[in-house]
Amino acid sequence: MTAATHSSLFPPVPDSADAVLEGLDPEQRAVATALHGPVCVLAGAGTGKTRAITHRIAYGVRAGILQPSSVLAVTFTNRAAGEMRGRLRQLGAQGVQARTFHSAALRQLQFFWPKAIGGSLPRLVDRKIQLVADAAAACRIRLDRGELRDVTAEIEWSKVTRTVPADYPLAALKADREAPRDPAEIAQIYSVYEDLKRDRAVIDFEDVLLLTVGILQDRHDIAEQVRAQYQHFVVDEYQDVSPLQQRLLELWLGERDSLCVVGDASQTIYSFTGATPDHLLDFRTRHPGATVVKLVRDYRSTPQVVHLANGLLAQARGRAADHRLELISQRPAGPEPVYTEYTDEPAEAEGAARRIRELVAAGVPAAEIAVLFRTNAQSETYEQALADAGVPYQLRGAERFFDRPEVRKAGVALRAAARFGGNDALLDDTVDLPSQVRAVLSGEGWTTSPPAGSGAVRERWESLAALVNLAQDVAAARPAATLADFVAELDERAGAQHAPTVQGVTLASLHSAKGLEWDVVFLVGVAEGMMPITYAKTDEQIEEERRLLYVGVTRARERLHVSWSLSRTPGGRPGRRPSHFLDGLRPGSTGTVGRAGGAGGGGVERGFTGGPSAAPRRTQRTPARCRVCGRTLTDAGEMKLMRCDGCPSDMDEGLYERLREWRADQARLSGQPAFCVFTDRTLMAIAESAPDDDRELARIPGVGTRKLNRYGADVLAICAGQEPEGEEVGG
């Protein structure tokens, strides 16, 4: 997994301002040299927008036109801000502030609060959901967990759109929002929530922006002090700016126009949070003299992937679609996207895991593969399928790399070795930086060969292996680098949250995949009801779902797999159909392609191979029902047990314990986590059904052909009360 421009990890620092411009294409160079007046960069996916704007800042700094401390670059995630700081450092432009809107506002709020308000800034609450629950209780309104989450989201939307509690019902109606409760009730909860915050002397995430806006509006002396500090602004992902963020930007700017914005209306996918592309689309109206540069050369994806992406947008409607960019791939031709239809969701997950295992076996790094889905709830099925296939994975949005215990511990060991290495016997035979890092980390659990399977042991090894690989990259870029230099590099990266690559297939929602890219992408669950999602009712909501799919497609560099299933559960009614967004684009489908033409062509005739018959299908299965009460099962864990979690178990406890002991022996012999042999649920299912033969054992979800062939004889022997014959590990 990498961020959105594939480049060398440690390029040499350019030796002059002109050298900063080397390697830029004509449009990127136009961005980099447009240092005066308002500038609007319309940048398609994979066109090197971050490269263009960081080179613009660096060129201005290196040419002496911009003072580093006078530049404020803002974006939307800590990762993106960290990446921007890292690139500026590599270009020799240290000292430029690159932050998220919230972190920039929080710094200013903390600094000016004593002067503007007096006292210390109220405590910032990490999670507001408990406060919302307290507010609902005070209003005598009962909310279940889902409603509590949804009401919290409505309060957040209200605040970023600058909607006060009394105005919420009308504002929600105008915005076509589907309120989770009566709008009057939400307005009441919102009002009490604000009262509770004041009573408890706390502020929330949105208050950081609101309070900063309030101070800058009311205190002209403070506003002028901020404007004296920051005189040049760059805003990345401008299509995602909310009305509140736009107001803050206007207050930072004052009457000046030294502003560069970068965005793509076709990647607007956060309108539910209050983001709107209107500020980007109206930029030339507000700034008639603006320089406008369009980046359409796609350096990320093959022509086959780009053709599909262009074809998706060719069918779009609405204002954002009117400003779509026709991408032109700059890469050699690659394989055609693959479309696959499955009978049910578990079959789809198993099919994806099987193909991923084949790719990894063929030499594709696991870190260069991603599985992207519409909702986080889809993740569990793919986690299980990958674990069953023995493929390591990582969840996007899980614990940050530098916060992992093994990484913190490794950092302590490396820092100690850098300081006292002359007295460390581990380093006696080391000759260069990589060998020193390997020697130190060997004491923390790193080995030359990874442990088999996945799980916590493998994850710890992958973290340490990422540090070893980073040491090799540092040494390749700077042969004279010392262990102390490497520790300094780690400190820089930790501050920027610029993590090295961890080996493992990435599982992520489409929303969280924005700004990232992989060699191979599996877009799963691309069926009506999921893409577009069922609750997308209005034309605007459906078009945003199309843009979300477009973002998913454009994450792929070389290979793209698109799949869907005909039913949710095994044996369910096959009533689903592929997403209508693929009509006219996938094999065997018909539909209006839409507005063709443009610089890159529509790509409708290309982008697929084979036909529906080429998709592997599983035999139809009857619905999974609880063997105790008869209820149809939909939960993956319940389907594995063939009973509801709440129904009584008839498990043979002794058999279950014998199976657990056998599994522990197998895991120890193979050097992999126990769940890679069989999960607890699968063992419970085996102990409850006590199968007599291969056929009965194969019916248990989680066994599968591979595990049946490898472990079937042992399991059946244990179920029959006999000693397993065992097998040689690796067979």
Side-chain angles (χ1 to χ4, degrees):
M1 175 183 68
T2 63
T5 302
H6 218 31
S7 59
S8 174
L9 185 62
F10 292 101
V13 176
D15 58 10
S16 67
D18 288 341
V20 172
L21 302 178
E22 292 176 2
L24 300 181
D25 69 30
E27 294 80 21
Q28 292 171 343
R29 181 179 284 255
V31 173
T33 54
L35 295 173
H36 301 288
V39 178
C40 179
V41 183
L42 301 176
T47 58
K49 68 178 179 64
T50 306
R51 175 178 173 83
I53 59 174
T54 52
H55 279 69
R56 178 181 186 270
I57 295 170
Y59 177 70
V61 169
R62 299 291 296 276
I65 299 170
L66 303 176
Q67 291 298 315
S69 60
S70 72
V71 180
L72 177 59
V74 288
T75 186
F76 284 82
T77 66
N78 288 320
R79 182 199 57 78
E83 182 196 353
M84 195 178 291
R85 287 193 295 271
R87 292 195 188 202
L88 289 170
R89 177 164 57 95
Q90 292 165 3
L91 292 169
Q94 294 93 335
V96 173
Q97 291 293 312
R99 297 183 172 275
T100 65
F101 268 100
H102 281 86
S103 67
L106 182 59
R107 274 187 96 214
Q108 294 174 19
L109 195 60
Q110 289 169 331
F111 184 80
F112 290 112
W113 185 271
K115 179 179 179 180
I117 310 298
S120 58
L121 182 69
R123 181 175 61 87
L124 180 64
V125 293
D126 293 330
R127 296 176 69 250
K128 61 173 68 68
I129 202 161
Q130 185 57 55
L131 269 172
V132 176
D134 293 345
C139 297
R140 300 184 181 278
I141 298 173
R142 292 177 60 98
L143 299 177
D144 61 30
R145 183 178 300 178
E147 289 175 324
L148 184 58
R149 184 184 63 247
D150 292 342
V151 169
T152 301
E154 290 304 293
I155 291 175
E156 291 172 348
W157 173 82
S158 299
K159 299 184 77 164
V160 300
T161 56
R162 308 177 74 192
T163 302
V164 298
D167 294 341
Y168 169 78
L170 182 59
L173 181 64
K174 286 183 176 179
D176 286 319
R177 291 187 74 82
E178 199 165 307
R181 294 286 296 237
D182 183 291
E185 288 184 335
I186 295 177
Q188 184 184 5
I189 295 170
Y190 178 15
S191 178
V192 174
Y193 167 79
E194 292 296 313
D195 292 339
L196 283 178
K197 283 199 292 99
R198 280 190 292 272
D199 293 344
R200 299 178 185 182
V202 296
I203 59 174
D204 63 24
F205 201 55
E206 291 72 38
D207 288 332
V208 171
L209 300 184
L210 283 164
L211 291 168
T212 306
V213 165
I215 288 175
L216 295 179
Q217 283 181 160
D218 296 342
R219 291 291 300 267
H220 297 292
D221 57 328
I222 292 176
E224 288 305 317
Q225 193 173 341
V226 172
R227 292 167 194 157
Q229 170 70 52
Y230 297 116
Q231 298 164 19
H232 189 88
F233 297 85
V234 177
V235 184
D236 193 13
E237 304 287 4
Y238 193 54
Q239 77 278 352
D240 291 329
V241 166
S242 70
L244 180 56
Q245 289 165 331
Q246 175 64 22
R247 180 57 184 150
L248 178 58
L249 178 62
E250 291 167 355
L251 289 165
W252 282 340
L253 271 169
E255 299 300 319
R256 300 164 301 174
D257 63 0
S258 187
L259 170 66
C260 173
V261 301
V262 189
D264 178 10
S266 296
Q267 296 188 68
T268 305
I269 58 173
Y270 297 109
S271 67
F272 62 91
T273 67
T276 170
D278 289 346
H279 305 300
L280 175 67
L281 300 177
D282 292 338
F283 190 83
R284 283 167 286 184
T285 302
R286 297 196 312 275
H287 303 279
T291 299
V292 178
V293 183
K294 295 182 180 181
L295 303 182
V296 296
R297 302 176 197 246
D298 188 320
Y299 297 95
R300 177 189 300 159
S301 305
T302 62
Q304 288 74 14
V305 173
V306 167
H307 289 162
L308 175 57
N310 284 335
L312 281 171
L313 290 189
Q315 304 180 58
R317 295 290 181 268
R319 192 176 181 215
D322 292 339
H323 294 79
R324 70 188 177 94
L325 298 168
E326 193 87 15
L327 299 176
I328 309 171
S329 176
Q330 306 296 298
R331 297 194 58 181
E336 307 286 351
V338 176
Y339 297 81
T340 310
E341 181 176 277
Y342 294 93
T343 55
D344 53 64
E345 288 184 6
E348 186 177 3
E350 290 170 15
R354 183 171 58 250
R355 288 186 173 181
I356 290 170
R357 187 175 63 201
E358 292 168 356
L359 287 167
V360 173
V364 178
E368 292 297 350
I369 304 173
V371 178
L372 306 182
F373 31 75
R374 175 61 181 84
T375 68
N376 288 319
Q378 294 167 270
S379 174
E380 183 179 358
T381 304
Y382 289 88
E383 292 176 52
Q384 183 65 59
L386 289 172
D388 286 345
V391 176
Y393 64 86
Q394 57 177 331
L395 293 175
R396 175 72 186 155
E399 185 180 38
R400 297 195 297 186
F401 180 82
F402 290 103
D403 292 336
R404 297 177 183 177
E406 65 271 18
V407 173
R408 291 200 302 268
K409 191 176 176 186
V412 171
L414 289 165
R415 191 167 286 105
R419 188 175 302 167
F420 308 112
N423 300 318
D424 194 334
L426 275 174
L427 303 182
D428 285 349
D429 298 323
T430 60
V431 295
D432 56 13
L433 175 62
S435 62
Q436 290 175 335
V437 171
R438 287 194 295 268
V440 173
L441 296 186
S442 65
E444 301 300 322
W446 179 81
T447 56
T448 53
S449 300
S454 56
V457 173
R458 179 64 181 246
E459 288 175 5
R460 284 194 295 272
W461 185 91
E462 295 288 2
S463 296
L464 299 178
L467 296 177
V468 171
N469 293 335
L470 180 61
Q472 293 169 345
D473 291 333
V474 171
R478 300 181 303 205
T482 65
L483 198 54
D485 294 330
F486 182 68
V487 169
E489 177 67 30
L490 287 181
D491 290 340
E492 288 265 11
R493 284 171 165 263
Q497 285 300 322
H498 183 195
T501 301
V502 176
Q503 291 301 319
V505 174
T506 300
L507 296 177
S509 71
L510 287 164
H511 282 101
S512 65
K514 177 88 163 49
L516 302 173
E517 61 183 52
W518 297 267
D519 285 345
V520 187
V521 168
F522 286 77
L523 286 175
V524 299
V526 188
E528 288 293 304
M530 191 61 74
M531 180 61 67
I533 199 78
T534 305
Y535 53 74
K537 304 293 187 186
T538 67
D539 290 344
E540 291 82 2
Q541 290 168 340
I542 290 173
E543 285 305 315
E544 181 151 337
E545 292 288 301
R546 185 195 306 277
R547 295 194 294 270
L548 190 57
L549 181 58
Y550 170 80
V551 166
V553 168
T554 55
R555 300 309 96 194
R557 295 193 197 105
E558 297 174 4
R559 300 170 188 256
L560 181 65
H561 295 256
V562 183
S563 64
W564 59 90
S565 55
L566 298 177
S567 68
R568 181 183 176 191
T569 58
R573 186 175 66 84
R576 288 179 173 175
R577 63 175 295 266
S579 169
H580 74 268
F581 293 152
L582 299 176
D583 289 351
L585 301 174
R586 65 180 178 83
S589 67
T590 59
T592 303
V593 170
R595 296 162 292 175
V604 175
E605 290 79 27
R606 305 182 65 179
F608 50 81
T609 54
S613 61
R617 293 173 177 266
R618 301 212 315 188
T619 55
Q620 189 72 14
R621 291 180 286 188
T622 57
R625 298 186 184 279
C626 174
R627 53 191 166 79
V628 179
C629 70
R631 181 178 70 85
T632 299
L633 303 175
T634 57
D635 177 77
E638 292 182 338
M639 286 191 288
K640 188 163 284 190
L641 293 175
M642 293 304 293
R643 64 171 174 81
C644 305
D645 274 334
C647 285
S649 168
D650 54 358
M651 181 176 70
D652 183 331
E653 296 285 351
L655 174 57
Y656 179 65
E657 288 305 317
R658 291 194 299 276
L659 287 168
R660 281 175 58 87
E661 292 172 4
W662 165 83
R663 181 182 67 173
D665 290 340
Q666 291 294 318
R668 178 177 50 79
L669 289 170
S670 62
Q672 62 183 345
F675 74 81
C676 288
V677 180
F678 284 120
T679 64
D680 287 345
R681 288 259 186 182
T682 300
L683 286 191
M684 290 175 65
I686 294 171
E688 289 185 356
S689 58
D692 292 324
D693 53 36
D694 284 355
R695 182 178 299 177
E696 291 181 8
L697 180 58
R699 288 199 191 106
I700 297 174
V703 175
T705 303
R706 182 173 64 88
K707 293 188 177 183
L708 180 67
N709 292 335
R710 181 165 185 175
Y711 301 125
D714 278 9
V715 170
L716 290 173
I718 295 170
C719 290
Q722 303 166 359
E723 287 296 321
E725 294 181 6
E727 66 166 17
E728 291 187 12
V729 174

